[in-house]
Amino acid sequence: MSTFTAILSNPIEYLKGVGPQRGELLRKELNIHTFGDLLQYFPFRYVDKTKFDLIRDVSGFDDYVQLRGRIVHMEVIGENRGKRLVATLKDETGTIDLVWFQGWQWMQKSVQLNSGYTVYGKVSTFNGAIQIAHPEMDLITEVTATGKQFLEPVYYTTEKLKARGLTAKAIGKLTKNLLEQLSPLEIKENIPADILQQYRLMPRALAHYKIHWPLSEEEARQAQRRLKFEELFIAQIRICRLKIRRQKLSHGYIFGAVGEHFNNFYNNHLPFDLTGAQKRVLKEIRQDTMHGRQMNRLLQGDVGSGKTMVALLTALLAIDNGFQACLMAPTEILSQQHFKGISELLADMPVNVALLTGSVKGKARKQVLQGVKEGGIQLLVGTHALLEKEVEFQNLGMAIIDEQHRFGVAQRARLWEKNNIPPHVLVMTATPIPRTLAMTIYGDLDVSVIDEMPPGRKPITTVHRTEFQRPQVMDFIKEEIKKGRQAYIVYPLIEDSEKLDYENLMKGYEEVKAFFPEPQYYISMVHGRQPAEQRETNMKRFVSGDTQIMVATTVIEVGVNVPNASVMVIESTERFGLSQLHQLRGRVGRGAEQSFCILMTGNKVSKDSKERINVMVQTNNGFIISEKDMELRGPGDIEGTRQSGVLDFKLADILADKPILDAARNSAEKLLQQDVDLILPENQGLRDFLAAQRSKTVWSKIS
């Protein structure tokens, strides 16, 4: 074990000033378990205490100031709870009041009249006079007489830690203790020298010293730049290695022919011409399946862009080459819709399609399992019931997964075991992920994008309406229902306010019933607290047109296809993220009629919500929306990224640091093209670092 891990893997309680109780708190509150974790707990800003301000230059608008002077007066003023200690600080240019509301008794005892102090704090005004509340105070000694020689780091802390004396300042002190114990040799370099030189990056050890105790803002920036590059570079090395190894080592079935089923369907049964984007994606899939390597492709396409058609043609390609295919969707209703749609498209063709979900039971289930095992069923559609041990394929060659982020890594791996060589995998998602993010998270998958809509699709008209306009909105829905259409009314359901949201949904339902009385109108209600069967029944009644209105929480977000629904009303729009709003809007606009999405909010809307609503009103393009969503919320909130574990960066932000990300990716790809196993002597530091990390975490396939 290198000295890097030897000292830095010491438990945190062994650091001077910590001990067992504080150690336990640091573990729980900040996830700091070892010396190394503390070293990697970086400050989020710095305070410049290298120079002093003069009292006469202080205005009420200054943020923080550092002053030097004598305490010339002290008194306690106010009554009962309003009691406070006021002290006057004087320098050669004037005086200023220092105020304490809490802990003033203690300050009264400890502040010495007529003594010299350095004072640091935030300036505020009270009754027209300038003051500093609860400043940091240090008696002037030889050490504090001049300003500090470095910028003071500020660390995040929590109330529980503060109660134990672990303030931001105290954490800084612990870090200083640690850095004084370490020799630079103990922080081993993990980036090859030529890359350091190319991008003028600080050595790793120096960066760790300078990020905690920089002499200037420029030093802090250079240290951050180096450590951000390191985070992104290491992540890219891991992802690119997975991809290269998969391409080199993974065996896949060869689909040598485009055969009779594919050609027959393409020439005689396609309901509409494919778009250029669909043709391009099919060509990419065709290329992937010809070379004897396993395909792992992510297919991104906006709601309604025709991903299912690509999936079906891909399945036919497998069937033409003597293999079976399966299509797995996250919910029963979505599986049923895929099954129904595909069965209709293949009605005049000799392809045997079956459905397998949790509700296929008894004799029917036995028949499906037997047909799959004997090869009579060529295309199996279903939910994660397909992953069960009892589902045995005769020869599975293509697995298609819809709505990728609903399935965990382990679940997908179970599909690979369904044949001697893993089947080809096509993963589809209607959550458009910005390119930067896709390459960072799904870097080991090949990414295809369908970026054009089938002809004849009318863009959905999106408008913003407030509470004042509710009666007009309800009248508009009545008009649409008169034309024979259906409408959704969706309420938010956020985990931390579930009870309240549930009450709002019920109140909303009653309100809708008042506007749309039976028997003229029928309403389905769908929410997460209903038993699954009741939910399915209510959903089916709406799908089959027995009810004209569906009142629901966001359970309808993924994949319900009702071409007759032309209105989507989203209640409390301000509580949804952009991607979620876009997904919900995609539930309408599936038929030939003009569709509408109405974003309802209260009469007052915050600046952020206004911005989200404007984006929705202006564009139907999911990729523009996802870029904007990432700007507004940050990459870690985009669906699918949380499970991936790739974005747990301490410093790097893949949006703000895009230039660093691009440089890190280019360097990683170039290095691995020459030395994928990191055998060359110049890559030894990187190899050792990855090995040490691997012993700490299990890096399963991210895709």
Side-chain angles (χ1 to χ4, degrees), residues 406-575:
R406 300 289 168 116
F407 294 106
V409 177
Q411 286 177 307
R412 289 196 298 281
R414 298 221 303 265
L415 269 177
W416 297 0
E417 293 156 13
K418 299 280 182 186
N419 211 341
N420 307 330
I421 295 177
H424 296 294
V425 177
L426 178 68
V427 162
M428 306 195 294
T429 177
T431 311
I433 297 167
R435 191 162 171 69
T436 354
L437 199 56
M439 287 174 78
T440 309
I441 306 166
Y442 300 118
D444 72 319
L445 287 173
D446 302 300
V447 180
S448 291
V449 176
I450 301 186
D451 48 13
E452 54 184 301
M453 285 303 209
R457 266 290 172 75
K458 290 182 182 163
I460 299 161
T461 304
T462 305
V463 294
H464 172 215
R465 296 288 181 261
T466 61
E467 209 44 62
F468 286 139
Q469 295 153 306
R470 184 173 294 280
Q472 293 93 304
V473 171
M474 294 301 167
D475 289 343
F476 175 72
I477 295 175
K478 283 180 181 166
E479 290 298 310
E480 286 292 296
I481 291 175
K482 231 184 245 168
K483 295 179 195 166
R485 320 248 199 281
Q486 290 165 280
Y488 294 100
I489 302 176
V490 178
Y491 289 80
L493 188 60
I494 317 286
E495 286 157 25
D496 41 351
S497 61
E498 203 170 313
K499 190 164 173 282
L500 186 75
D501 286 342
Y502 184 67
E503 284 164 17
N504 289 344
L505 170 75
M506 288 318 195
K507 207 168 88 195
Y509 178 58
E510 293 305 326
E511 212 171 62
V512 174
K513 277 200 330 206
F515 275 108
F516 299 96
E518 289 181 357
Q520 202 179 342
Y521 303 98
Y522 287 103
I523 303 170
S524 277
M525 178 157 69
V526 176
H527 59 80
R529 288 193 180 184
Q530 289 167 329
E533 279 165 32
Q534 188 187 349
R535 200 159 62 225
E536 290 288 329
T537 308
N538 290 355
M539 205 90 108
K540 277 181 188 146
R541 286 182 64 210
F542 184 71
V543 171
S544 63
D546 293 345
T547 60
Q548 299 100 326
I549 297 171
M550 179 185 298
V551 174
T553 56
T554 35
V555 287
I556 61 150
E557 194 181 321
V558 173
V560 183
N561 188 12
V562 185
N564 193 37
S566 66
V567 185
M568 165 64 71
V569 177
I570 302 175
E571 297 284 351
S572 308
T573 300
E574 65 273 18
R575 296 181 57 199

Side-chain angles (χ1 to χ4, degrees), residues 302-336:
D302 222 330
V303 178
S305 61
K307 293 186 297 296
T308 313
M309 192 53 75
V310 170
L312 175 54
L313 285 160
T314 303
L316 292 175
L317 183 65
I319 293 166
D320 274 338
N321 285 277
F323 294 93
Q324 292 164 296
C326 70
L327 169 58
M328 188 163 83
T331 63
E332 188 138 329
I333 200 152
L334 193 48
S335 305
Q336 285 165 346

Side-chain angles (χ1 to χ4, degrees), residues 94-132:
T95 61
I96 191 169
D97 281 347
L98 314 176
V99 189
W100 290 268
F101 301 94
Q102 287 149 355
W104 60 263
Q105 295 97 327
W106 190 78
M107 288 309 294
Q108 190 182 20
K109 284 181 198 147
S110 53
V111 174
Q112 302 169 19
L113 206 54
N114 293 319
S115 293
Y117 280 91
T118 62
V119 170
Y120 179 81
K122 192 172 185 177
V123 179
S124 57
T125 38
F126 177 68
N127 283 346
I130 292 172
Q131 62 176 32
I132 301 176

Side-chain angles (χ1 to χ4, degrees), residues 138-311:
D138 283 306
L139 258 175
I140 290 184
T141 60
E142 277 175 37
V143 180
T144 59
T146 53
K148 296 201 169 161
Q149 303 306 302
F150 47 80
L151 300 186
E152 191 169 296
V154 183
Y155 300 86
Y156 277 115
T157 181
T158 67
E159 290 308 316
K160 280 185 180 169
L161 289 171
K162 282 184 198 162
R164 273 289 157 97
L166 283 169
T167 58
K169 212 170 183 175
I171 293 172
K173 209 169 168 189
L174 293 177
T175 308
K176 202 161 186 245
N177 283 349
L178 174 62
L179 287 168
E180 283 164 358
Q181 279 184 43
L182 287 178
S183 103
L185 295 174
E186 281 159 351
I187 301 174
K188 291 275 200 323
E189 188 52 75
N190 58 4
I191 294 178
D194 57 336
I195 296 175
L196 290 179
Q197 213 170 340
Q198 184 186 350
Y199 294 108
R200 299 205 172 109
L201 296 169
M202 222 179 234
R204 187 165 188 244
L206 187 62
H208 277 91
Y209 279 85
K210 294 299 185 189
I211 196 165
H212 289 291
W213 301 98
L215 296 181
S216 64
E217 284 189 14
E218 178 55 23
E219 263 193 6
R221 215 183 65 237
Q222 289 302 338
Q224 285 171 345
R225 181 172 160 264
R226 147 72 212 218
L227 293 167
K228 283 176 176 182
F229 184 94
E230 177 182 314
E231 285 187 323
L232 294 165
F233 176 72
I234 297 291
Q236 291 305 317
I237 286 277
R238 283 167 157 162
I239 289 170
C240 295
R241 272 179 105 185
L242 279 179
K243 187 170 183 172
I244 292 170
R245 282 184 170 155
R246 197 193 74 229
Q247 286 172 347
K248 277 190 178 172
L249 306 174
S250 78
H251 296 296
Y253 296 109
I254 294 178
F255 294 176
V258 176
E260 195 182 323
H261 290 97
F262 187 100
N263 288 326
N264 178 7
F265 181 77
Y266 192 88
N267 297 324
N268 305 319
H269 301 289
L270 258 188
F272 47 75
D273 288 341
L274 295 185
T275 61
Q278 284 173 308
K279 287 178 184 165
R280 187 188 66 236
V281 172
L282 279 166
K283 202 182 253 167
E284 289 168 348
I285 291 168
R286 179 89 188 87
Q287 284 297 319
D288 283 352
T289 53
M290 278 164 59
H291 298 300
R293 288 197 299 267
Q294 186 209 10
M295 172 176 88
N296 254 323
R297 191 165 279 283
L298 172 71
L299 173 56
Q300 293 193 59
D302 222 330
V303 178
S305 61
K307 293 186 297 296
T308 313
M309 192 53 75
V310 170

Side-chain angles (χ1 to χ4, degrees), residues 625-662:
I625 285 170
S626 70
E627 292 282 354
K628 196 75 195 155
D629 193 24
M630 199 160 97
E631 265 173 53
L632 291 172
R633 292 196 303 166
D637 287 330
I638 306 283
E639 281 229 67
T641 60
R642 265 189 233 85
Q643 299 93 306
S644 67
V646 183
L647 295 182
D648 301 339
F649 295 137
K650 290 187 163 70
L651 289 170
D653 169 339
I654 63 170
L655 257 191
D657 300 319
K658 190 172 179 303
I660 303 180
L661 172 63
D662 292 341

